[in-house]
Amino acid sequence: MATLSSPLRVCRGILRELRAIQGPSYKKSLAYNYVLDQFRKNKVTGERYCRAQQEAHHDSHTYLCLLASTRNHLALHNLYHGKGERSPEEVAGLVGLRLPTQPGGKGWEK
Amino acid sequence: MLKSLVRLQSQLGNALSLSKVCPRGQQSRFTLKYSTAAAAERKKFYQDVSISQGDGGVYEINLDRRKLKTPGGKLFTVPNEALAIAVATEWDAQRDTLKFYSMHLTTLCNTALDNPTERNEDQMINAALKFLETDTVCYRVDEPYALVELQKNEWDPVLHWIENRYNVTIGSSSSILGPEIPEATKDTFRQHLKSFNFWSLTGLEYVITQLKSVVLSMGMIDRHLSVEQAVLLSRLEEEYQIRRWGNVEWAHDYDMYELRARTAAGALFVHLSSESSTVKRKLLQD
């Protein structure tokens, strides 16, 4: 069995991700109520060995991973790949170069 | 000289007036053509996302008052509430534009509903098992020594686990031909996969093509591995190179998060659309 963080932490993690997605009104969303409902229902069988509970735990962990990874991936995408093509100046800047200035313009030696 | 300047100016003037005449839509379409990121996005056209139960107990997604449809034009329906809510959350998460490349569960549902490759379950099982012959964890390197050790320490436990779990032999090899997988092993897996329904098979095949490994995929679907562990094991050599040469955020982390998101979506899709999860929910409601 894979070692997973505790259900409470996973639950909090999912709710935090939902809040990041939906903003302050996240408590009214479908997912918020459903997730809380599922975690509460699973608490009942807490003490006994329960396969269904472990399955639910693994699934919730997977869902948390999905939400967090999608968020991180989009953040990196917007940072590095989301702006389309770069201008020549930016491309030169990436490798630490500067484009030559225009003849007669600023920095031009007579 | 002066003449050509005048001509240039008149051309420029023309271009300017042309842009005034041109409607806005056409201009933006023009820019769309040159930006792949923007081409995959569409403006968000709805405010509220809700789910409703349709005929036969299936769930539908509603965007404002309209029902969501698949790219193939079918009504978008999913077999249970959990999946419907997860899909609705994806649509709810979109801000100004729709980023379809971040909506993995929606994509998987569309694939299962439309079945664009028009394959049946046997063909999907064969396609999935084809990956067993070139399974990531079966191919080992001879050098460098540190990587050989790493592969042995990390991959062998999973390989042994799956061999015990299904009572099969898979083995590993450092030859370019890979290990010889006995026909009995494939038959065992084929029998096992026949218990999956069409939706779960769609998800499973997706996971296998992401991780490039049947062993790791089955380990994760059987809940022996978490998504993070499966992705780490799938990228083991890359992780080794990162540790040695350094991490590049815009390539390595970007790839890793994308792979994790896709793998997690596939695993969740398998679990939510398979029979056992339906039983699970009934038990929980007692």
Side-chain angles (χ1 to χ4, degrees):
Chain A
M1 192 63 205
T3 45
L4 306 171
S5 44
S6 78
L8 186 65
R9 289 190 62 177
V10 176
C11 179
R12 279 196 186 139
I14 292 178
L15 296 184
R16 198 169 51 232
E17 293 296 333
L18 289 178
R19 189 170 166 188
I21 288 173
Q22 283 154 340
S25 63
Y26 77 111
K27 287 193 180 177
K28 286 180 208 143
S29 71
L30 286 169
Y32 178 85
N33 291 316
Y34 184 81
V35 169
L36 265 192
D37 217 31
Q38 290 298 312
F39 273 100
R40 285 199 184 118
K41 276 175 188 166
N42 279 287
K43 227 165 66 176
V44 181
T45 54
E47 292 303 312
R48 281 173 292 169
Y49 175 79
C50 179
R51 190 167 163 74
Q53 194 199 18
Q54 287 198 348
E55 285 178 0
H57 186 193
H58 191 273
D59 283 354
S60 63
H61 191 88
T62 305
Y63 191 51
L64 173 60
C65 180
L66 170 62
L67 292 177
S69 305
T70 307
R71 179 173 53 78
N72 285 322
H73 176 242
L74 274 181
L76 287 177
H77 185 85
N78 290 334
L79 189 59
Y80 295 109
H81 304 274
K83 293 189 194 108
E85 217 162 299
R86 292 173 204 269
S87 68
E89 288 81 9
E90 273 185 298
V91 175
L94 276 182
V95 288
L97 297 174
R98 260 186 312 182
L99 290 186
T101 47
Q102 284 297 316
K106 203 184 166 192
W108 175 254
E109 285 172 44
K110 278 182 181 169
Chain B
M1 180 70 186
L2 194 71
K3 241 181 209 172
S4 68
L5 255 180
V6 169
R7 206 184 300 147
L8 186 73
Q9 205 173 20
S10 67
Q11 276 174 353
L12 266 177
N14 273 346
L16 278 176
S17 61
L18 197 72
S19 72
K20 270 183 211 157
V21 175
C22 249
R24 213 145 224 242
Q26 271 186 17
Q27 263 184 334
S28 64
R29 213 177 302 150
F30 210 63
T31 46
L32 270 183
K33 207 170 148 191
Y34 293 101
S35 161
T36 47
E41 290 168 11
R42 207 178 135 186
K43 232 178 147 197
K44 185 175 171 181
F45 56 88
Y46 55 90
Q47 293 300 319
D48 282 335
V49 186
S50 59
I51 63 169
S52 58
Q53 204 164 9
D55 301 329
V58 292
Y59 287 83
E60 296 161 2
I61 312 287
N62 303 312
L63 305 174
D64 288 340
R65 288 278 176 88
R66 277 165 294 192
K67 285 179 178 177
L68 180 61
K69 286 189 173 167
T70 66
K74 284 185 190 166
L75 185 64
F76 187 99
T77 53
V78 294
N80 59 58
E81 193 188 4
L83 196 53
I85 288 176
V87 170
T89 306
E90 279 186 346
W91 285 85
D92 213 14
Q94 306 305 311
R95 285 289 153 260
D96 306 327
T97 51
L98 303 180
K99 295 178 167 58
F100 290 113
Y101 54 84
S102 71
M103 300 161 76
H104 303 297
L105 287 172
T106 308
T107 312
L108 278 165
C109 293
N110 283 333
T111 311
L113 286 167
D114 282 346
N115 190 13
T117 51
E118 294 182 352
R119 287 177 305 165
N120 60 27
E121 298 183 6
D122 284 337
Q123 285 169 313
M124 289 176 82
I125 291 173
N126 283 336
L129 287 182
K130 201 139 183 62
F131 270 84
L132 194 59
E133 293 161 19
T134 54
D135 204 296
T136 301
V137 299
C138 298
Y139 276 81
R140 305 295 170 88
V141 293
D142 288 324
E143 52 167 7
Y145 177 72
L147 184 57
V148 175
E149 277 294 294
L150 189 67
Q151 291 188 339
K152 196 167 145 250
N153 292 338
E154 299 297 326
W155 283 348
D156 275 356
V158 189
L159 205 54
H160 291 154
W161 179 85
I162 203 147
E163 284 178 333
N164 287 333
R165 162 85 169 72
Y166 290 97
N167 198 16
V168 291
T169 37
I170 296 173
S172 60
S173 158
S174 62
S175 106
I176 191 139
L177 294 172
E180 193 75 24
I181 311 270
E183 206 51 41
T185 304
K186 284 186 200 165
D187 284 340
T188 310
F189 279 120
R190 191 168 287 123
Q191 280 306 320
H192 178 66
L193 291 185
K194 279 198 175 148
S195 66
F196 282 53
N197 60 28
F198 185 78
W199 282 57
S200 329
L201 276 178
T202 307
L204 180 69
E205 199 193 350
Y206 184 74
V207 172
I208 291 174
T209 52
Q210 295 303 321
L211 293 177
K212 315 279 186 287
S213 165
V214 176
V215 173
L216 294 177
S217 305
M218 294 309 290
M220 189 178 63
I221 299 298
D222 289 337
R223 300 185 172 89
H224 175 68
L225 298 170
S226 68
V227 178
E228 286 90 342
Q229 287 169 324
V231 167
L232 177 74
L233 291 176
S234 171
R235 291 164 37 92
L236 197 62
E237 181 169 353
E238 204 169 339
E239 295 289 343
Y240 170 80
Q241 302 292 358
I242 289 170
R243 220 177 289 168
R244 180 139 186 211
W245 302 103
N247 187 36
V248 181
E249 195 179 46
W250 49 264
H252 296 132
D253 283 354
Y254 182 80
D255 280 351
M256 186 196 67
Y257 284 126
E258 185 171 29
L259 187 59
R260 270 193 194 173
R262 285 165 179 266
T263 311
L268 204 64
F269 189 79
V270 173
H271 287 153
L272 290 182
S273 52
S274 64
E275 221 67 55
S276 70
S277 69
T278 322
V279 176
K280 184 191 82 190
R281 258 194 313 287
K282 276 181 188 162
L283 277 175
L284 294 177
Q285 278 161 3
D286 283 346

